[in-house]
Each structure stands twice: as C-alpha cells, then as structure tokens.
C-alpha cells in the first residue's frame, strides 16, 4: 500500500505537534501548515524531534487562495483542521478575527475539498466549549449546544458546516468534539500550563506571585498525546461520524492547583474568600496565588464533563492518564526544560 499523505493545519500548536508525531509513526507523509507570522514557532516539533520530518507550507486560514494553492500542489488522503484562534479569552477582544479564522476558516477548507477532490477525508477540531452553559450533566454527541463566547460560537459554525457538507455532498467530513486536553506542549496562556510554569517560576525566584481568574470553573482534562490518536481513528471508520472525546471526570482549577503544589512538595494554605482568596506558602508566609478579577471572562463556562461512551465502543479509544498523572508529566517536563 502506498504511503498516505495528510495535511495538518496548525502544525505549530500543541495538537498539531502530537498528531504529526503519531502519523509519522504510522508512516504518513505530512504536510504541515503555519502562518507567515508564525514562522519560527517550532519549539514543539523540535522538542518531539520531528522538525525535519515534515514538509512545511505557509497557509493563512483567512485566505481562500492560499488554501487552494496547497490543495493543488499535493494529493491529500486526509486533512486535519487544527488551526484556529483557540484561546477563549482572546475571542472576547477579537470576535471578528476569531469568527473569520475559527469559524469561516473551516468553510474555506471544505469548499476547497468539494471543488478539488470530494474523496479527501476531513477532520474538524470541534470543542466541548460548544456545550457552554450545559443542558445535561454529562455531554455527548446529542447534547444541545449552548455556546458562551465568540470562540465557542465560531466552533459551532465549524461543527455545523462540517455536518452540512457531509450530508449535502456525501463527503467524509467529521468533527471530534474534544474536551480540554493538556500536556507539556500546552500554550502558556491556558490555565494548566500557566499554573505549572508560574509555580516553577516562583520556586526559582523569577516571579513573586501568580494571578488567576475564576478558580471554581470545572473542566474535564485529559492528556493531549492520547487525544490525537482519537482524531486519526475517526478518519479510519467506514462511515463518517462525530465523536466526543473526554475522560468523564471533572475538577475545578483549585483542585488542579492543589495537585500541582502537592507534587512540587509545597506546604500551602488557602485563605480568604471570593476575589480576596489567596494561596499562601507556609514555609515563608508569602502569597503564591492571588485572584485578579480582570481575568474573569465576560461570560464563563462553569462546568464541563464529557461522556465518550460512543468513542469507547466504536473507536476502541479510552483515556489512560488521570489528572494526577498528567500533572506529574507536565511538571517533570517543565522542570527539565526550564530556562534551557
Ligand atoms: P493551539 O493554540 O496550540 O494551536 C493552534 C494553531 O492554529 C497554531 O498552530 C496556530 O499558529 C494556528 N493558527 C492560528 N491562527 C491561524 C490562522 N489565521 N491561519 C492559520 N493558522 C493559524 O491549539 P491546540 O493545539 O490546543 O488545539 C488544536 C485545535 O483543537 C484548535 O482548533 C482548538 O480550537 C481545538 N481544540 C483544542 C482543545 C484543547 O483542549 N487543546 C479542545 C477542543 C478543541 P500560531 O503558531 O501562529 O499560533
Ligand atoms: P478553556 O481553557 O477556556 O477551557 O479552553 P483555559 O485553560 O484557557 O481555561 C480553563 C478555565 O480556567 C479558568 N481560568 C483561567 N484561564 C486562563 N487561561 N487563565 C487564567 O488565569 C485563568 N483563571 C481561571 C477559565 O476562566 C476557564 O474557566 C480550552 C482551549 O484549548 C480551547 O481551544 C478548547 O476548545 C477548550 O479548552 C476545550
């Protein structure tokens, strides 16, 4: 069988890097795209030791012409659309850009596939953020969408337009509804990596204290390296179908902080309430974490908890790393690479 060729948009991001590593292990030829402005943002691929195993092309998701050019240059078997303005907080300040990239970007790719070769299989990175203010305790493929941010609304558009192209044009186009997944390769702006990096900076005397927003929001956190495998599995199915990928467990940010301080061997105590709540280092009585109300979102998603039974039964996919283990993986690697 000849080598399969895959396009990964957003190759410089967390999932792009892990997915590339996984597809290389399956002997795929990989074309990875990033933006002109993002050139040089290749630390993740470098860390995984796969920087030289990928063909890079420039592709701005806002430009239809750039997308078409790449599809004319290569014959793709599979396309994984991971590129997005992916930070929920930024989407409140940049709603138009977020809608254009995270939302309309999906349609630009689908239109290109439709006109060039409808046999190309397409994966869309949908998100648990689409459930927003939840309507049932555990969310699955049939749960109503109730998005609470320009990011989530853009993802809903991407999700429905993927579904629409599948039904209207008989294309193999699917969405993976992935719940939060973290790793040492997570961007520093997301809360898990922000906490771990912040605590290590404090321990090294490089930061006085860490400021956070709503520490009572709850998320269903899994390990990114395992989640990218589910993306691939979705494209290997006989029939195109959407799947929820999650652990089924949910914890608040405060719990994540406590797991992190415990693993780092810090003796700490929470004091105060509401925006005056603080975490104190009992060794020197100094504040480690403060609440900054400016970091609260205009509209918050309070709790998410997935139900991935369909993925477990149809894809044979199960999460293997619990949150305690994930914290250990993230902290060990953060320490290893700190200041290198
Ligand atoms: P990252 O933010 O780490 O990566 C996003 C990628 O998109 C980066 O490579 C980024 O490039 C690229 N990108 C941003 N804007 C554009 C643009 N205008 N044109 C082309 N490329 C662009 O995200 P993750 O790897 O964490 O997530 C991958 C996808 O999965 C995203 O679509 C995200 O929304 C979605 N998702 C993620 C979840 C998670 O928990 N990680 C959960 C559910 C969905 P640059 O290097 O310039 O930033
Ligand atoms: P999320 O991830 O919005 O769920 O989106 P993030 O880690 O940014 O926030 C999780 C929760 O933590 C609260 N929070 C803070 N968040 C950040 N970033 N910084 C803070 O200081 C802070 N303090 C509290 C947030 O309010 C929120 O409730 C991620 C992204 O990867 C999306 O692209 C993806 O679709 C979803 O996960 C599933």
């Amino acid at each position: 069988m000849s080598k399969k060729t895959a396009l990964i948009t957003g190759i410089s991001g967390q999932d792009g890097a892990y997915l590339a590593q996984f597809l290389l292990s399956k002997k795929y030829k990989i074309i990875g795209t990033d933006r002109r402005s993002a050139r040089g943002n290749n630390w993740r691929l470098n860390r995984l030791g796969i920087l030289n195993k990928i063909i890079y092309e420039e592709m701005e998701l806002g430009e239809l012409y750039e997308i078409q050019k790449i599809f004319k240059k290569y014959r793709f078997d599979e396309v994984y659309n991971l590129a997005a303005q992916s930070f929920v907080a930024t989407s409140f300040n940049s709603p138009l850009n977020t809608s254009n990239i995270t939302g309309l970007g999906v349609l630009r790719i689908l239109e290109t596939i439709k006109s060039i070769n409808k046999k190309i299989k397409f994966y869309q990175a949908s998100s648990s953020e689409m459930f927003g203010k939840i309507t049932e305790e555990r969310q699955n493929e049939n749960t109503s969408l109730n998005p609470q941010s320009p990011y989530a609304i853009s993802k809903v558009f991407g999700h429905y337009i993927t579904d629409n192209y599948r039904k209207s044009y008989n294309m193999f186009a699917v969405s993976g509804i992935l719940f939060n997944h973290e790793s040492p390769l997570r961007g520093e702006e997301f809360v898990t990596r922000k906490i771990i990096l912040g605590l290590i900076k404090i321990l090294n005397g490089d930061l006085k204290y860490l400021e956070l927003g709503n520490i009572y929001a709850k998320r269903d956190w899994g390990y990114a390296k395992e989640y990218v495998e589910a993306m691939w599995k979705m494209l290997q199915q006989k029939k195109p179908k959407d799947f929820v990928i999650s652990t089924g467990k949910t914890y608040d940010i405060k719990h994540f902080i406590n797991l992190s301080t415990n693993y780092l061997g810090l003796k700490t105590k929470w004091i105060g309430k509401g925006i005056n709540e603080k975490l104190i280092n009992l060794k020197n009585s100094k504040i480690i974490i403060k609440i900054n109300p400016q970091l609260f979102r205009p509209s918050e998603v309070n709790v998410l908890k997935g139900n991935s039974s369909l993925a477990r039964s149809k894809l044979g996919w199960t999460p293997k790393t619990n949150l305690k283990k994930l914290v250990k993986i993230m902290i060990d690697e953060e320490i290893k690479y700190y200041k290198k």
Side-chain angles (χ1 to χ4, degrees), residues 85-89 91-92 102 125-134 139 144-156 176-180 186 190 217-221 245 297 299-305:
Q85 190 305 93
S86 71
F87 190 35
V88 175
S91 78
F92 287 100
T102 307
S126 282
S127 164
S128 53
E129 276 294 295
M130 301 189 306
F131 297 120
K133 231 177 239 333
I134 54 169
Q139 302 86 53
S144 318
L145 307 181
N146 194 4
Q148 298 297 311
S149 64
Y151 167 81
I153 291 164
S154 307
K155 282 288 179 189
V156 169
I177 309 171
L178 271 53
F179 281 61
N180 297 53
R186 194 53 147 146
F190 299 97
K218 289 182 164 180
R219 289 293 183 274
D220 177 334
W221 282 298
I245 300 297
R297 294 178 179 172
S299 170
E300 177 65 290
V301 170
N302 292 321
V303 55
L304 292 171
K305 186 176 176 185

Side-chain angles (χ1 to χ4, degrees), residues 10-16 35 38 41 44 59-61 82-86 101 125-127 151 155 178-182 186 190:
I11 191 88
S12 59
Q14 170 187 262
D15 291 7
R35 298 177 279 178
N41 188 7
R44 296 180 173 97
M59 192 181 91
E60 159 58 59
L61 258 192
L82 309 185
Q85 190 305 93
S86 71
I101 303 307
S126 282
S127 164
Y151 167 81
K155 282 288 179 189
L178 271 53
F179 281 61
N180 297 53
H181 44 281
E182 318 294 312
R186 194 53 147 146
F190 299 97

Side-chain angles (χ1 to χ4, degrees), residues 25 39 47 76 86 119 135 143 227 259 270 288 295:
S25 78
R39 276 286 147 97
R47 193 179 287 179
F76 298 119
S86 71
K119 292 221 160 67
T135 54
T143 303
Y227 281 42
L259 287 177
W270 290 97
I288 305 181
L295 294 170

Side-chain angles (χ1 to χ4, degrees), residues 98-268:
T98 303
S99 306
N100 186 27
I101 303 307
T102 307
L104 280 178
V106 186
L107 178 55
R108 291 190 186 95
I109 299 182
L110 286 167
E111 263 298 288
T112 306
I113 293 178
K114 184 180 132 215
S115 65
I116 288 187
N117 175 9
K118 280 200 284 186
K119 292 221 160 67
I120 297 171
K121 292 182 174 179
F122 175 76
Y123 173 87
Q124 166 57 14
S126 282
S127 164
S128 53
E129 276 294 295
M130 301 189 306
F131 297 120
K133 231 177 239 333
I134 54 169
T135 54
E136 56 189 318
E137 199 207 333
R138 292 184 71 199
Q139 302 86 53
N140 67 17
E141 295 77 9
N142 302 316
T143 303
S144 318
L145 307 181
N146 194 4
Q148 298 297 311
S149 64
Y151 167 81
I153 291 164
S154 307
K155 282 288 179 189
V156 169
F157 175 80
H159 187 75
Y160 281 142
I161 202 70
T162 300
D163 182 67
N164 181 254
Y165 271 54
R166 171 168 76 223
K167 289 174 180 153
S168 309
Y169 307 114
N170 201 20
M171 283 163 55
F172 197 112
V174 301
S175 292
I177 309 171
L178 271 53
F179 281 61
N180 297 53
H181 44 281
E182 318 294 312
S183 77
L185 302 186
R186 194 53 147 146
E188 290 177 20
E189 66 274 38
F190 299 97
V191 79
T192 56
R193 177 103 195 283
K194 180 177 173 183
I195 290 166
I196 286 174
L197 184 59
L199 291 174
I200 289 170
K201 280 185 182 168
I202 291 167
L203 284 171
N204 279 277
D206 295 331
L207 182 72
K208 258 172 95 178
Y209 53 80
L210 184 62
E211 291 189 316
L212 294 174
N214 176 14
I215 57 171
Y216 290 100
K218 289 182 164 180
R219 289 293 183 274
D220 177 334
W221 282 298
Y223 183 22
K225 200 172 171 180
E226 293 168 6
Y227 281 42
V228 298
E229 199 169 330
M231 299 175 183
W232 174 77
K233 281 180 179 253
M234 286 180 217
L235 292 198
Q236 312 315 309
Q237 297 303 295
K238 280 212 171 71
K239 286 194 180 142
K241 200 165 184 4
D242 298 340
F243 288 93
V244 159
I245 300 297
S246 65
T247 68
K249 305 236 158 44
T250 190
Y251 301 99
D252 63 21
I253 316 295
K254 196 168 171 179
H255 180 73
F256 188 91
I257 297 168
N258 292 336
L259 287 177
S260 305
T261 51
N262 276 346
Y263 185 68
L264 286 164
L266 280 162
K267 296 266 174 297
T268 57

